[in-house]
Amino acid sequence: MDDDRHSRHAAQPAHGPKVDAAQETMFSERDLEVFLRLSLDQAHLPSPAVGAGGLAGTGFTEAAAREVARVNRRRVITSNLAVALVGLRALARDLARDIALRRNLTRVPGRVDALASNLTLAADLARCLPSAHPNATMVAGLRNARDTFMYARQSAGRGPLFDSALIRARDDSPLLKDNSAQVLRRELDAIRINVSGIDLPYGLDGCDVELFVNFVWSRRTRWPTGLYSQIQACSTREQPGGYQVVQSSRAHSDHGKA
């Protein structure tokens, strides 16, 4: 396969959350929330009205044009869900690392709330897909991850001492043994998303390949600049023309490291 077919020039404008490879956290909680809210607004927009005059000489019937609009809308929702899932995984990874290293602990309560809120928004976005769509199953996975995460926080306590209580609870609670953010990270990694034939946005440029585990893709999937060769190396063939990103050797290896 030709790498150029599956990557695009980085100089073109980005869509979705900004990614800065120099920063530890590629997605801020606030950027992800804004992106998800815009995605929801976009997903709720009705298919554009098609006037008969606009179809003259095109060979399209109005019904066919509306079907194309519906398909395109689903593709946009799937593309935005892919960005959201990568963003949530990145935030959970960084939060797990901070808790393991006992740093930035004063930020933990707010970051936990932001992650829970964004998990809800992502599930709402997935609900915009028809029930028969393969990615509609993401709703349950995202809501389960949110519920597990919030239960972990409640069992550890709330308020100013939450960070200390979480650390103390690690040895007492199986759920918190390696901290609730790590539990969330594993649940998010288990969520499967099908991006076959999807044009993925530039907002994913520079992301670690481990954030794409369980992405199902095809030769028609378009990856941001520099990602395709890494994705190809970490994928297995699922069916003719279909592939799945599997757990890379680097996955979770940074847990507890600076």
Side-chain angles (χ1 to χ4, degrees), residues 170-208:
R170 266 193 234 158
D171 297 330
D172 301 329
S173 169
L175 187 62
L176 297 174
K177 191 173 182 62
D178 54 354
N179 83 52
S180 61
Q182 190 69 0
V183 173
L184 172 66
R185 185 182 174 189
R186 286 197 294 267
E187 292 204 9
L188 288 172
D189 280 354
I191 293 176
R192 175 184 167 112
I193 182 170
N194 192 319
V195 295
S196 297
I198 297 297
D199 192 8
L200 294 172
Y202 298 97
L204 298 178
D205 285 350
C207 290
D208 293 337

Side-chain angles (χ1 to χ4, degrees), residues 15-230:
H15 302 285
K18 294 180 180 178
V19 176
D20 185 348
Q23 295 179 355
E24 180 186 21
T25 302
M26 294 176 293
F27 299 81
S28 76
E29 295 92 336
R30 177 61 181 164
D31 284 348
L32 187 57
E33 179 183 358
V34 170
F35 169 74
L36 282 166
R37 291 194 183 280
L38 289 173
S39 299
L40 275 168
D41 289 344
Q42 188 177 31
H44 287 137
L45 291 175
S47 298
V50 181
L55 294 172
T58 65
F60 270 110
T61 64
E62 182 172 348
R66 288 187 184 279
E67 179 59 24
V68 169
R70 279 194 294 270
V71 169
N72 287 340
R73 187 167 151 221
R74 294 173 189 175
R75 292 167 73 88
V76 168
I77 291 172
T78 297
S79 178
N80 289 353
L81 275 172
V83 177
L85 185 57
V86 169
L88 288 164
R89 287 174 173 178
L91 292 175
R93 177 191 64 184
D94 292 342
L95 182 56
R97 183 185 299 154
D98 281 352
I99 293 174
L101 297 176
R102 304 191 183 190
R103 67 184 184 189
N104 300 325
L105 293 179
T106 56
R107 293 187 54 203
V108 168
R111 292 170 72 185
V112 169
D113 283 343
L115 266 168
S117 173
N118 284 324
L119 281 162
T120 298
L121 289 171
D124 289 343
L125 179 60
R127 286 181 59 197
C128 294
L129 293 169
S131 59
H133 194 279
N135 289 327
T137 57
M138 289 182 65
V139 175
L142 290 163
R143 292 198 179 278
N144 287 340
R146 180 204 59 188
D147 292 345
T148 297
F149 197 39
M150 293 311 291
Y151 174 78
R153 175 171 182 181
Q154 290 164 6
S155 68
R158 297 181 66 93
L161 296 179
F162 166 71
D163 50 330
S164 299
L166 177 62
I167 292 170
R168 289 198 306 271
R170 266 193 234 158
D171 297 330
D172 301 329
S173 169
L175 187 62
L176 297 174
K177 191 173 182 62
D178 54 354
N179 83 52
S180 61
Q182 190 69 0
V183 173
L184 172 66
R185 185 182 174 189
R186 286 197 294 267
E187 292 204 9
L188 288 172
D189 280 354
I191 293 176
R192 175 184 167 112
I193 182 170
N194 192 319
V195 295
S196 297
I198 297 297
D199 192 8
L200 294 172
Y202 298 97
L204 298 178
D205 285 350
C207 290
D208 293 337
V209 68
E210 68 180 47
L211 298 174
F212 295 90
V213 65
N214 283 325
F215 272 53
V216 176
W217 56 282
S218 69
R219 292 188 180 93
R220 293 175 56 230
T221 301
R222 296 292 299 275
W223 296 94
T225 305
L227 266 179
Y228 173 65
S229 59
Q230 299 177 63

